Amino acid sequence: MIETNRPAAAPADDEPDLLRDQFRQLLRYRRLIGAGIGVGLLGGVYLGISTADTYVATADVVLRAPTDDPFNPSLAPDKAINIGSERQVALSSSIANEAAKKLGVSAKDFAALRSGLQVTNPPQTMVLRFTYTADSPKEAAKRANAMTEAYLLKRQESLDATRDKMVKGYKEQRDPIAKQLDELSKEIARMPAGAGRDAASSAKTDLQSEVGGYNTKITKLEALDMTPGRVTSAATAPTATDGPGILMSLALGAAVGLALGLLAAWVRLVFDPAPRSEGDVARALRAPVLGYLPRDRTGGGPLLAAGEADPRLAEEYRSVAFRLAYDSRFADRRRLLVVAPRGSSETAAAVAVNMAASFAETGKDVLLIEADLRTPVLASQLPTDAGARPRWSQGQGAAPAPGRHADSEWPDGRQLVVDAGESGSFDLIPGDRARNVPRALTSARATRLISEADAPNSTVVVLAPPVLSYADALALVDRVDGVLVVCDPRAIHRTDLIRIRELISGAGGTVLGAVLHAPLPGEKRGKGKDKDGPAAAGPAAPTKPGKAAPQPQPIPYEVAEPEQHIPGDGTDTVALRTVRMGRR
């Protein structure tokens, strides 16, 4: 037979949906993003203030190599000049010393003089650009021109010194040969004609040729144009500051700060152990997210959402119940276990109660079993009347005989009818404190009670303590099968959800889905238990529609002495809010 009530597989998310989901996750860390923007704005203010009185003057110098024919196209200046070396020379201390002498700068201000200069080379050019930054426009232009002139002067001196050294070298090589030529000329004049005079004349010719070569080289060096370069653009006093202005600085700072904030939020998101989205919860539990409870406007909301002024919560519960009803795994057994991961079970109790009310609204016979035997409070929080429906109480047995231990008291056949207003009514098996909770939960009577869901048109909802705090829920998993996890995704880690799934699967159960909710008001403000200790809510008297419920009275629970108190033995109680019945 083909199943028709199994939900179809969810389609794969496309890339735009994933990007939108990631952006929404980044917006969870608004404080980090705001801190980044704040840091950026502070940096923008600093930039605007620090550059408000900063002026920059620029001078350009075109370099040229020494040449005897400046119009010769075969001469490549970039082959004769190393522009990188010239830039380093322009930034050297010798150039700054020469400029300091001209400007009259003292030795203590010499470092500041050098620090204000920047020399750059525009690509594919033989131009050096001298940029000087100073506190006043006139001083910036004056120092830029002084640096340019000092560089050209030093370059001129360097070229002249190189030429003079070469000329001197050629002369030193020429003078001995010229002296030898003079002596040979005098000797030839005294010699008679003949073979000896002819040989001396030939030697004289060679010496004359060699001396002439040196003279040619010297003449060529002395004829070189040694101009080091020319200023194409002299520095002038700037008319405006170099900074972008306070408004532009703030805009740039805000943009950079936003980028830093998003980067910090992304890093925080990557290392965040909490589920980043509903998809993370679904992947960890390998079950769908059936609903996300809206934040209640009244500051926490009642246990029963039906009839409240804000209908969103009740509709969300109905939506979750509808999705469960059409899940084949739940439709086969109709046994639902509602648990929270750890901490307070307040929201899990509200989900269990409203699931029961939603199923009752569809016409089913619903039994809500409070299997939280450590902090039983549903009977005191719901509008109940004593009642008995034989089917639910059948086979439960009578009250325990005197002298029997309290471990065997639950379930004792006691049954209450909960008035859910317009949704109808459902039965409640209230929890009762027990010393040996596992024995009570695994008793034959508890098993028969849960098996009532096998009856036609009936459903059993079981509320258990947090699954990671106690093993009570695991003791019921094999009897219930379907588990609904109620959690705040920001208060639990992904590893905890994986552990819950593994524990439930190992116990023979199945996670049907998860219901997510926002942090409780007390948890959001960082408040834990009451300063005077945990409060236990008293039983609420049944109320008629339109009448306010009386104030709850404390239940005289037996509390262990301080020296006998054992954490987790059931004496630690967390009170649920008193039910508030809405207008019907």
Side-chain angles (χ1 to χ4, degrees):
M1 186 175 74
I2 300 176
E3 293 185 1
T4 59
N5 56 352
R6 182 176 296 275
D13 294 333
D14 56 2
E15 187 171 349
D17 290 338
L18 292 176
L19 291 176
R20 284 191 292 268
D21 184 59
Q22 292 177 1
F23 185 74
R24 285 194 297 267
Q25 294 170 18
L26 286 178
L27 293 181
R28 291 170 51 186
Y29 307 102
R30 297 181 180 89
R31 293 184 179 179
L32 282 176
I33 298 176
I37 295 176
V39 171
L41 289 175
L42 290 177
V45 171
Y46 173 77
L47 177 64
I49 295 176
S50 61
T51 59
D53 55 351
T54 301
Y55 297 89
V56 176
T58 303
D60 292 339
V61 176
V62 177
L63 304 183
R64 59 190 304 274
T67 179
D68 57 349
D69 186 3
F71 302 103
N72 185 3
S74 62
L75 182 62
D78 57 337
K79 302 297 183 183
I81 301 176
N82 189 330
I83 194 66
S85 299
E86 294 298 329
R87 177 178 174 274
Q88 295 300 321
V89 170
L91 291 170
S92 64
S93 59
S94 60
I95 304 299
N97 281 326
E98 189 67 26
K101 294 177 183 179
K102 184 176 181 180
L103 295 171
V105 177
S106 60
K108 65 178 182 180
D109 297 331
F110 178 75
L113 176 66
R114 289 193 63 186
S115 63
L117 177 65
Q118 289 185 347
V119 180
T120 57
N121 169 234
Q124 306 299 325
T125 65
M126 298 301 295
V127 176
L128 288 181
R129 180 163 294 164
F130 289 75
T131 303
Y132 200 90
T133 304
D135 296 337
S136 65
K138 293 183 179 180
E139 190 70 16
K142 181 180 178 181
R143 293 193 174 191
N145 290 326
M147 286 290 186
T148 303
E149 294 173 2
Y151 169 72
L152 291 178
L153 179 61
K154 282 293 183 180
R155 178 171 168 78
Q156 179 72 58
E157 292 177 355
S158 176
L159 293 177
D160 290 343
T162 301
R163 181 185 62 180
D164 294 342
K165 185 177 181 179
M166 293 184 67
V167 169
K168 182 180 178 181
Y170 284 141
K171 287 182 178 181
E172 289 177 352
Q173 296 178 23
R174 182 199 63 182
D175 289 345
I177 299 175
K179 183 178 180 181
Q180 183 181 358
L181 178 61
D182 292 341
E183 293 176 355
L184 183 58
S185 297
K186 294 177 181 179
E187 185 179 351
I188 290 175
R190 295 192 300 267
M191 291 177 63
R197 184 171 181 168
D198 293 340
S201 299
S202 177
K204 178 183 177 182
T205 303
D206 293 338
L207 292 174
Q208 288 176 342
S209 176
E210 190 171 353
V211 170
Y214 282 115
N215 289 332
T216 301
K217 292 179 180 179
I218 293 173
T219 302
K220 187 175 181 179
L221 286 174
E222 292 177 345
L224 287 177
D225 182 3
M226 304 301 293
T227 304
R230 59 188 178 88
V231 178
T232 59
S233 177
T236 58
T239 58
T241 60
D242 179 60
I246 188 64
L247 294 180
M248 183 61 68
S249 298
L250 288 176
L252 291 176
V256 175
L258 178 61
L260 291 177
L262 290 176
L263 177 61
W266 178 80
V267 173
R268 179 67 178 86
L269 180 65
V270 170
F271 293 99
D272 188 3
R276 297 188 294 265
S277 63
E278 296 182 8
D280 284 352
V281 176
R283 283 187 291 271
L285 292 176
R286 295 183 184 175
V289 175
L290 300 178
Y292 201 121
L293 302 182
R295 189 182 301 273
D296 186 66
R297 299 175 182 174
T298 60
L303 205 57
L304 265 174
E308 284 300 309
D310 186 4
R312 298 178 304 156
L313 193 58
E315 291 301 325
E316 187 67 27
Y317 284 127
R318 292 188 181 97
S319 176
V320 174
F322 180 81
R323 296 187 66 179
L324 280 174
Y326 279 84
D327 191 319
S328 61
R329 296 169 295 180
F330 176 73
D332 293 340
R333 300 284 301 256
R334 301 185 303 281
R335 300 170 183 174
L336 180 65
L337 177 66
V338 181
V339 293
R342 63 172 78 248
S344 173
S345 296
E346 182 174 349
T347 307
V351 171
V353 170
N354 286 277
M355 287 295 98
S358 298
F359 289 132
E361 191 174 8
T362 62
K364 293 184 179 298
D365 295 329
V366 182
L367 175 65
L368 174 60
I369 302 175
E370 186 181 13
D372 188 352
L373 306 184
R374 303 178 188 274
T375 56
V377 290
L378 288 187
S380 63
Q381 298 295 322
L382 295 174
T384 58
D385 289 321
R389 296 185 183 181
R391 187 184 54 205
W392 295 128
S393 58
Q394 182 179 1
Q396 296 303 318
R404 293 186 63 183
H405 197 274
D407 293 346
S408 60
E409 292 181 358
W410 188 91
D412 56 1
R414 185 164 60 102
Q415 178 178 316
L416 302 175
V417 178
V418 179
D419 180 13
E422 296 178 354
S423 299
S425 63
F426 57 89
D427 296 323
L428 169 65
I429 302 296
D432 195 5
R433 289 178 178 270
R435 280 294 178 182
N436 196 330
V437 175
R439 181 184 300 176
L441 293 177
T442 56
S443 64
R445 289 185 299 167
T447 301
R448 288 195 301 269
L449 182 65
I450 297 175
S451 65
E452 292 292 345
D454 295 335
N457 199 37
S458 60
T459 300
V460 171
V461 180
V462 183
L463 173 65
V467 66
L468 294 181
S469 300
Y470 305 99
D472 301 356
L474 300 179
L476 299 169
V477 165
D478 59 341
R479 296 166 175 80
V480 179
D481 291 339
V483 180
L484 182 64
V485 179
V486 181
C487 64
D488 174 12
R490 301 188 184 184
I492 190 171
H493 294 174
R494 290 188 295 272
T495 54
D496 292 337
L497 295 175
I498 295 174
R499 183 185 173 197
I500 290 173
R501 172 178 55 80
E502 292 175 348
L503 289 174
I504 293 175
S505 300
T510 302
V511 180
L512 296 179
V515 175
L516 308 182
H517 63 88
L520 297 178
E523 296 176 354
K524 184 177 181 182
R525 293 190 297 267
K527 297 181 181 179
K529 296 181 180 179
D530 193 85
K531 294 182 180 179
D532 298 331
T543 59
K544 296 181 179 181
K547 293 186 178 181
Q551 295 296 328
Q553 301 296 328
I555 297 178
Y557 284 148
E558 179 183 355
V559 183
E561 295 296 329
E563 63 273 5
Q564 299 176 351
H565 176 71
I566 302 175
D569 64 348
T571 61
D572 299 327
T573 61
V574 179
L576 295 177
R577 293 180 178 84
T578 304
V579 61
R580 296 193 301 272
M581 301 304 295
R583 294 184 297 271
R584 305 254 170 86

